[in-house]
Amino acid sequence: MSFRLVRQSKFRHVYGTCLKREQCFDNIRVSKSSWDSTFCAVNPKFCAIIVESGGGGAFIVLPLTKVNKAGRIPPDHPLVGGHKGPVLDIAWDPFNDNVIASGSEDCVVKVWQIPDYGLVTTMTEPVVDLMYHQRRVGMVVWHPTANNILLSAGSDNIVVIWNIGCGDPLTTIDVHPDIIYSCCFNWDGSLLLTTCKDKKIRIINPRDGEVFEEATSHEGSKATRAIFLRNGLVFTTGFSKRSERQYSLRAPGHLDDPITMVELDSSNGVMFPMYDPDTNLVYLCGKGDSVIRYFEITPEVPFVHYINTFQLPDPQRGIGMMPKRGVDVTTCEITRFYRLNNSGFCQIITMTVPRKSELFQEDLYPDTSGDIPAVSAEEWWEGQNKEPLLMSLKDGYQATQKTELKVTKKKTNILDKMPPTGKVKSEEDGKATAISSEALEKVNEVSKVNDDLRKRIDELQTEMKKFKAVFLKQENRIRVLENKLGELTGTAGAPPPPQAPSTLSANTVNNNCDMAPDEV
């Protein structure tokens, strides 16, 4: 009789690797706010990090293209700095890699559009300001399937669902008696999961705020976090009565009876669960920890299987996780983290599955969530629920050209007024003008003609000044000659002749100007 002692899993040997220092970012003034946030948001184009800034709140946006190399960030690097208070949370739009939302202590949510090439100067004008909260906004979350739907939660214990397209709140959820710690949509965005300071975990209808179920999550008084898994289960992190850190797995309908609950350690840092729905891996990243633990969720007992721990020498201040469409499939990379240290160093950590074959590994990369929304904001608000549209990573990720959804909009979309990559659109006129190389050449030609014209005008003005100086000099000479002529003819002191020097003809002036004093 044989017994299998080791659980079979293709992720059992996942290992982490730090990139070289010159391939990472350095000299970043990471925010020192005590708010429990990851301080970092990443997508395939940009890495955004909340930083310290005088006179208000700001965050830095670093392009991740090959042209913009990593390294030491200059102190005067442009920022996104339109908030009047410290920025507490940021989140990239899952369907537009150039759009990011930020929440701040100034009670305002702002939505920004970042150019493809990054920032050249500090940006202070957002696309839209979302004002409803009465106290600081500590959380912003995008809807996973609906376009332009954003959630914000503040210290006023209110959750607001926004339609970014018209800049108005769709609904407000006021069912929490205390500060909200976390919010998470389920796979198709039809349910909302929240944790609160009252130690309760709630499943809510995001359209009308109806509470379907609530239960006590963890008995400790410190902050708890909860996320929806792809199969509908709920994964939570929190603290016990003895302040020991815990994680648990629960099923909707039985939230008060965890499937499993495990104690990890006695550290006091809040654990942020990072979830990969394609591989069913959960990464636990604690604030102030120097380790990243990762687990696999399976239907087999004990359901949450510990895989390994990635150890680092220094504690982490914040962390961001790259979406699956931004990883390198040629090296079997399944996850990439951007880890912030207290020293201002942003480490890039890759999680890799060891494989000998260089071919595309279909079992590691099933179809993942794409960058095209499944429904519009109006369709979702009317009650439609759809799972995310999936895309294959076999040939690598190719950014989808952004096109308008064929829907009848009651209000104009504010984001449509912003010029997308390389184009300038006007929805009202129904015309689209692409900035081509010919147009740029014409602009350069016009600029060159203007420069030549300015140069010619300057030359003419200089020539006129010289002519005026010569004319005044000759006029004075004429007067001197007239006085000498009067003395010779004995008419000195006589009244001037009928024709004054200023009224002499041009020929007379020229003749007199050409005569020498001796000739006179």
Side-chain angles (χ1 to χ4, degrees):
M1 183 180 295
S2 61
F3 295 94
R4 179 176 295 174
L5 300 178
V6 179
R7 185 180 66 90
Q8 293 296 321
S9 172
K10 54 192 172 186
F11 304 111
R12 190 159 56 91
H13 299 291
V14 171
Y15 66 93
T17 306
C18 286
L19 298 188
K20 296 180 180 178
R21 193 175 187 90
E22 56 268 19
Q23 296 175 307
C24 303
F25 299 103
D26 200 358
N27 195 33
I28 300 174
R29 297 172 298 171
V30 184
S31 174
K32 297 179 181 178
S33 173
S34 60
W35 185 256
D36 290 327
S37 175
T38 58
F39 297 139
C40 183
V42 189
N43 67 17
K45 279 188 179 181
F46 302 103
C47 173
I49 302 171
I50 302 175
V51 297
E52 284 290 316
S53 176
F59 58 93
I60 190 172
V61 177
L62 305 172
L64 300 180
T65 59
K66 295 181 180 179
V67 178
N68 299 275
K69 297 181 180 179
R72 188 174 181 84
I73 306 301
D76 58 347
H77 192 282
L79 305 175
V80 181
H83 285 286
K84 297 180 180 179
V87 178
L88 300 179
D89 195 21
I90 50 178
W92 289 102
D93 187 344
F95 311 117
N96 191 337
D97 289 339
N98 296 78
V99 176
I100 186 171
S102 60
S104 169
E105 286 191 4
D106 60 5
C107 311
V108 180
V109 179
K110 294 180 182 286
V111 180
W112 312 82
Q113 181 134 352
I114 309 299
D116 260 348
Y117 48 81
L119 298 179
V120 178
T121 60
T122 296
M123 180 180 290
T124 57
E125 292 297 328
V127 179
V128 60
D129 288 328
L130 307 176
M131 292 181 287
Y132 186 90
H133 291 280
Q134 300 299 317
R135 300 184 67 183
R136 62 182 178 181
V137 180
M139 195 180 313
V140 286
V141 180
W142 291 91
H143 196 279
T145 62
N147 192 28
N148 291 343
I149 296 295
L150 178 68
L151 175 149
S152 65
S155 296
D156 51 3
N157 311 334
I158 295 176
V159 176
V160 182
I161 307 294
W162 300 89
N163 181 355
I164 304 302
C166 58
D168 293 333
L170 295 176
T171 184
T172 58
I173 302 174
D174 189 6
V175 297
H176 301 88
D178 214 325
I179 295 177
I180 302 166
Y181 285 142
S182 69
C183 295
C184 179
F185 287 101
N186 65 342
W187 179 243
D188 62 0
S190 60
L191 297 175
L192 178 64
L193 178 69
T194 65
T195 58
C196 182
K197 194 175 181 179
D198 65 350
K199 306 179 184 180
K200 294 292 184 67
I201 181 173
R202 294 174 174 85
I203 296 179
I204 304 171
N205 185 345
R207 295 184 178 90
D208 58 13
E210 178 186 359
V211 179
F212 291 144
E213 185 181 3
E214 69 175 32
T216 300
S217 55
H218 296 269
E219 296 180 349
S221 58
K222 296 181 181 179
T224 59
R225 303 280 170 179
I227 57 173
F228 264 122
L229 303 182
R230 184 169 182 171
N231 56 11
L233 297 180
V234 174
F235 186 90
T236 68
T237 61
F239 294 82
S240 66
K241 282 185 177 180
R242 300 185 299 274
S243 294
E244 295 177 331
R245 295 198 295 190
Q246 300 174 323
Y247 69 80
S248 70
L249 185 67
R250 306 165 189 258
H254 304 279
L255 291 180
D256 54 348
D257 185 17
I259 298 174
T260 180
M261 180 175 289
V262 178
E263 294 183 353
L264 285 176
D265 53 32
S266 58
S267 179
N268 57 0
V270 177
M271 288 191 299
F272 297 96
M274 306 278 187
Y275 178 56
D276 181 3
D278 300 330
T279 59
N280 250 2
L281 294 179
V282 175
Y283 302 85
L284 296 185
C285 310
K287 198 170 184 179
D289 288 359
S290 58
V291 298
I292 299 177
R293 299 180 178 91
Y294 38 106
F295 303 81
E296 184 180 5
I297 312 296
T298 67
E300 307 167 358
V301 178
F303 308 108
V304 181
H305 301 273
Y306 170 76
I307 297 179
N308 207 342
T309 299
F310 180 69
Q311 181 77 39
L312 289 165
D314 46 359
Q316 59 201 14
R317 178 70 180 160
I319 195 165
M321 182 177 177
M322 174 71 74
K324 183 56 69 73
R325 52 193 174 92
V327 301
D328 185 4
V329 298
T330 60
T331 60
C332 296
E333 179 188 15
I334 59 172
T335 311
R336 187 184 308 164
F337 292 104
Y338 288 73
R339 182 177 181 270
L340 307 177
N341 297 341
N342 291 324
S343 61
F345 182 49
C346 178
Q347 288 178 298
I348 301 178
I349 302 169
T350 63
M351 294 291 179
T352 308
V353 177
R355 292 285 173 94
K356 293 183 179 180
S357 175
E358 296 181 356
L359 300 177
F360 178 75
Q361 307 295 314
E362 295 184 359
D363 59 331
L364 297 182
Y365 302 104
D367 290 350
T368 187
S369 299
D371 58 355
I372 300 177
V375 293
S376 66
E378 290 76 11
E379 291 172 341
W380 178 81
W381 182 243
E382 290 170 359
Q384 294 189 32
N385 295 318
K386 292 184 179 179
E387 292 190 351
L389 299 181
L390 304 181
M391 62 179 295
S392 174
L393 297 177
K394 187 173 184 179
D395 299 324
Y397 168 66
Q398 299 294 332
T400 306
Q401 295 293 332
K402 303 303 177 183
T403 57
E404 295 286 338
L405 292 176
K406 302 295 183 179
V407 295
T408 303
K409 297 178 181 179
K410 298 179 181 179
K411 296 185 179 181
T412 58
N413 191 330
I414 296 177
L415 293 180
D416 295 341
K417 298 179 181 179
M418 296 295 297
T421 306
K423 294 185 178 179
V424 178
K425 289 187 178 181
S426 175
E427 185 178 357
E428 297 177 356
D429 299 335
K431 298 179 181 179
T433 305
I435 299 178
S436 61
S437 58
E438 296 179 358
L440 292 176
E441 290 178 0
K442 291 182 179 180
V443 171
N444 293 333
E445 290 177 1
V446 173
S447 178
K448 185 177 180 181
V449 170
N450 291 337
D451 293 340
D452 294 339
L453 183 59
R454 292 192 188 95
K455 186 176 180 181
R456 181 58 180 161
I457 290 173
D458 293 339
E459 291 176 354
L460 291 175
Q461 289 178 347
T462 304
E463 189 174 352
M464 288 176 63
K465 290 180 180 178
K466 292 181 179 179
F467 178 76
K468 287 181 179 179
V470 172
F471 180 78
L472 292 175
K473 182 178 180 181
Q474 296 299 338
E475 188 176 12
N476 293 333
R477 187 179 178 189
I478 290 172
R479 290 177 181 174
V480 172
L481 294 175
E482 285 180 347
N483 292 334
K484 289 184 177 182
L485 181 61
E487 292 176 357
L488 293 175
T489 58
T491 59
Q499 291 185 353
S502 59
T503 59
L504 293 176
S505 63
N507 293 331
T508 305
V509 173
N510 292 335
N511 293 334
N512 292 334
C513 292
D514 296 335
M515 293 174 63
D518 297 338
E519 295 177 356
V520 178

